Amino acid sequence: MARDASRAKREREEIAVHQLVVASDLALDPDVAFERGCEIAAANCADLHVLRLRDHHRRGSPSAPSSQVLAEDVGRRFPCIGSVSFSEPMPPHAGAIVSKAEMLGADLIVMRNAIDSDQIDDRPFDLIVKVAREGSIPVLAVQAEATGPYKRLLALLDEEEDAQRVLDLALQIRSANEVYAVHACPKRSTVEYLGAAMEALKQVIAETLAKRTDVATPVKPIVRRGDLASVLIEQWSALHPDLIVAATHRHRGLEAIFRRSHVADLLEIMPFDLLVTNLEAADRVAPTNPKADRQRRPPA
């Protein structure tokens, strides 16, 4: 019975974290990042740290609730959260956010990807990209209010060890019942090249699953011609995943997209949530707590 109860709890969890950071100005009502952060923290009985970013509201716009009011509301609605803390208002600078999150030992940073029309030049996607590039902590960019756990995942894979690590992050989302491992090949790839890429992708999947004996989620390999941005849009349109899992790494793969701000563009125009990890930074920084098991919205 105890084992069954434990399994049921894991199935309700979003991302399994101990320390969770929400970086938001809390200006939206409801604030999608704050709500998602509360749900993830409650599902894991984790500590929730809110980095309250300064906003640039237009004159006459309604003010955001006070930290005390929000803390009291969280306590009523999410009694399972370990603790809740709010920072003093701080500038929305990536370096400051990353430094504070690292000091807190955060396993995940949650940020809003929803535009606040009451703010001047609100571009949350640019800040998300900068935070993801500067730190080693996975960043969850939340587009809108969730309707349930993440069930269908699209993992954008580069190659070899990098691909395994991104896929492993996706497989830590225990609510998922489908994972699509997508790899983009050069536009003029031959049939033989595509076949070899597919075999290599299948090998990556097999090796990753061999290390994750606790996972029974099916992983479907997909190889397509085109740059990563176009392949992502194509597959998002075809598969309608709940979450996209991706990574940055040096001058290859997704890092090239980040350098050209394509990820920011995609976050701006495409209505998806994105979980991104910086593998290059992770190589330099010793890991803290084990990361992530993720779902969408409530721990239901």
Side-chain angles (χ1 to χ4, degrees):
M1 291 291 292
R3 182 177 298 176
D4 291 342
S6 177
R7 182 183 300 116
K9 180 181 184 299
R10 288 198 304 270
E11 291 173 351
R12 292 195 301 271
E13 288 176 354
E14 302 225 18
I15 295 185
V17 295
H18 302 287
Q19 305 292 330
L20 187 146
V21 163
V22 170
S24 174
D25 50 29
L26 305 178
L28 294 180
D29 184 22
D31 186 273
V32 291
F34 181 64
E35 289 296 308
R36 188 67 56 84
C38 288
E39 291 160 356
I40 298 171
N44 292 274
C45 299
D47 297 328
L48 175 66
H49 308 278
V50 181
L51 304 185
R52 189 153 193 166
L53 309 180
R54 294 187 188 131
D55 58 44
H56 295 85
H57 268 114
R58 302 177 191 278
R59 184 175 299 177
S61 299
S63 59
S66 69
S67 297
Q68 181 178 351
V69 169
L70 288 170
E72 292 173 353
D73 181 58
V74 169
R76 287 192 300 269
R77 294 191 296 131
F78 302 96
C80 291
I81 290 180
S83 65
V84 182
S85 66
F86 290 80
S87 74
E88 293 297 320
M90 57 185 289
H93 295 160
I97 293 170
V98 171
S99 296
K100 188 69 172 178
E102 290 176 346
M103 184 187 74
L104 293 167
D107 304 297
L108 181 71
I109 300 173
V110 182
M111 304 179 69
R112 71 170 171 88
N113 186 36
I115 296 175
D116 183 358
S117 58
D118 286 331
Q119 294 201 48
I120 300 171
D121 297 327
D122 188 38
R123 294 181 62 84
F125 21 83
D126 289 340
L127 183 59
I128 291 167
V129 168
K130 293 175 183 176
V131 171
R133 291 186 65 187
E134 291 194 20
S136 61
I137 303 168
V139 179
L140 175 64
V142 183
Q143 170 74 19
E145 291 184 74
T147 57
Y150 290 135
K151 295 294 185 181
R152 178 176 292 189
L153 273 57
L154 190 160
L156 276 174
L157 304 188
D158 195 344
E159 54 191 33
E160 299 175 354
E161 183 181 355
D162 295 349
Q164 290 188 30
R165 292 164 66 181
V166 173
L167 183 56
D168 182 71
L169 178 60
L171 292 174
Q172 291 179 50
I173 303 171
R174 289 188 287 255
S175 60
N177 53 32
E178 294 177 285
V179 175
Y180 295 90
V182 178
H183 179 71
C185 292
K187 291 182 180 179
R188 297 184 179 181
S189 298
T190 63
V191 173
E192 292 77 12
Y193 187 100
L194 293 175
M198 175 61 78
E199 292 305 313
L201 181 56
K202 289 179 179 178
Q203 183 66 26
V204 165
I205 294 172
E207 291 177 0
T208 305
L209 291 175
K211 299 175 184 176
R212 295 295 307 273
T213 57
D214 59 315
V215 173
T217 307
V219 179
K220 180 179 179 180
I222 297 176
V223 173
R224 293 290 185 270
R225 294 185 181 94
D227 60 82
L228 281 171
S230 62
V231 170
L232 169 58
I233 293 173
E234 170 194 306
Q235 293 304 309
W236 182 87
S237 300
L239 301 172
H240 301 292
D242 303 312
L243 178 69
I244 292 172
V245 183
T248 65
H249 196 295
R250 294 176 188 166
H251 301 288
R252 300 179 293 108
L254 272 178
E255 171 111 15
I257 289 184
F258 270 69
R259 286 182 177 277
R260 298 192 305 270
S261 297
H262 288 180
V263 165
D265 293 341
L266 290 170
L267 287 172
E268 183 176 359
I269 65 175
M270 298 295 287
F272 55 60
D273 289 359
L274 183 137
L275 176 63
V276 60
T277 182
N278 184 341
L279 297 182
E280 183 180 27
D283 287 338
R284 298 193 305 264
V285 180
T288 54
N289 296 324
K291 309 209 167 43
D293 164 28
R294 191 37 248 132
Q295 305 176 316
R296 208 160 170 156
R297 208 191 168 188

